[in-house]
Amino acid sequence: MSILPREFYSEDTVVVAKKLLGKKITRKIKNEEISGIIIETEAYRHKDDPASHAFCKITERNERMFGEVGIAYVYFTYGMHYCFNIVAKNKRKQAGAVLIRAIHPIKGIKRIQKNRGITNLENLTNGPAKLSQALEITRKENGADVTKKSNLFITEGIKCKKITASTRIGIKKATERKWNFKIEVL
DNA sequence: TTGAGGATTGGCT
DNA sequence: GCCAATCCTCAAA
């Protein structure tokens, strides 16, 4: 299983968001391994995207979106939830990231169920905050390099035939942009 | 130093 | 469908 190279993430954010669908994300916790197929992503860009964290100005929190691609950007929100992003952008753009909204677990499901406190497969990882909880992603994972074999990385996955584009979820600006992408998994 | 608000979720109506 | 939970970040003073 080959890890996606950093060049994979140096295209336009929206393009990378589509390309990430069907790829496999692997998370290692001590001796246990959790992995799943990415089935839903959202693109967040820069000046042309009022809903993006990077829209206004650079701050301590969003500076990762302006940095090197292929780096994890984790942020905390609503007092209880983490969301997991991967920095991805065209070299001409200053900032951009892909939010991983949902995965399809294929390995370490028991561990995920334990993390989430439930066993219902459909509710394990079908939301950004659920996904982070399932993979034990916290602020400590902010800045992790997913192009290197470590505790958190992304590899080639399955081929996806059909991509569905929809409007992004949970935001109040630029809601007409169809930058939410998902695939069907059998 | 303080106050306001957020790329969400789950439970209740 | 609506709303509370709850803490980190930003911006203003």
Side-chain angles (χ1 to χ4, degrees):
Chain A
M1 193 63 79
S2 57
I3 295 180
L4 299 177
R6 195 172 306 284
E7 297 77 54
F8 179 90
Y9 303 96
S10 59
E11 292 189 63
D12 185 90
T13 308
V14 175
V15 174
V16 177
K18 290 183 195 171
K19 283 168 57 179
L20 275 173
L21 293 170
K23 297 296 184 288
K24 194 175 85 163
I25 182 167
T26 301
R27 168 74 167 142
K28 283 190 177 177
I29 295 146
K30 296 176 183 176
N31 295 325
E32 291 188 75
E33 190 173 284
I34 298 172
S35 61
I37 300 295
I38 297 172
I39 57 172
E40 187 173 351
T41 62
E42 271 177 28
Y44 285 91
R45 295 208 298 205
H46 185 215
K47 288 281 171 65
D48 58 342
D49 186 3
S52 170
H53 283 169
F55 176 66
C56 294
K57 56 191 287 191
I58 183 168
T59 65
E60 277 185 36
R61 179 228 215 159
N62 65 22
E63 66 178 353
R64 300 244 178 247
M65 289 181 75
F66 294 82
E68 193 170 20
V69 299
I71 298 292
Y73 167 48
V74 181
Y75 68 90
F76 192 84
T77 191
Y78 292 103
M80 29 192 345
H81 299 298
Y82 293 100
C83 292
F84 175 53
N85 304 248
I86 298 168
V87 179
K89 59 190 194 289
N90 186 306
K91 284 172 184 170
R92 293 167 54 198
K93 293 277 195 311
Q94 288 186 56
V98 176
L99 170 67
I100 309 300
R101 288 194 61 86
I103 65 172
H104 182 76
I106 54 179
K107 195 172 182 184
I109 293 178
K110 285 185 180 176
R111 178 77 189 214
I112 293 176
Q113 290 172 328
K114 187 183 168 189
N115 289 343
R116 298 273 298 114
I118 57 172
T119 55
N120 185 337
L121 287 175
E122 294 193 353
N123 288 330
L124 284 176
T125 53
N126 63 341
K130 297 176 185 177
L131 184 152
S132 302
Q133 190 179 10
L135 298 186
E136 298 184 34
I137 291 173
T138 67
R139 200 153 30 82
K140 285 184 292 187
E141 274 62 48
N142 193 24
D145 189 341
V146 298
T147 66
K148 290 177 182 169
K149 193 169 184 180
S150 59
N151 292 328
L152 181 64
F153 55 93
I154 296 177
T155 58
E156 289 291 343
I158 60 173
K159 289 182 182 176
C160 50
K161 305 169 188 170
K162 185 180 169 187
I163 296 178
T164 307
S166 350
T167 53
R168 290 177 293 181
I169 299 168
I171 57 173
K172 295 166 183 169
K173 301 166 187 172
T175 49
E176 77 285 355
R177 298 267 167 76
K178 294 196 173 181
W179 286 353
N180 170 289
F181 306 103
K182 29 186 172 177
I183 55 173
E184 306 291 328
V185 176
L186 301 178

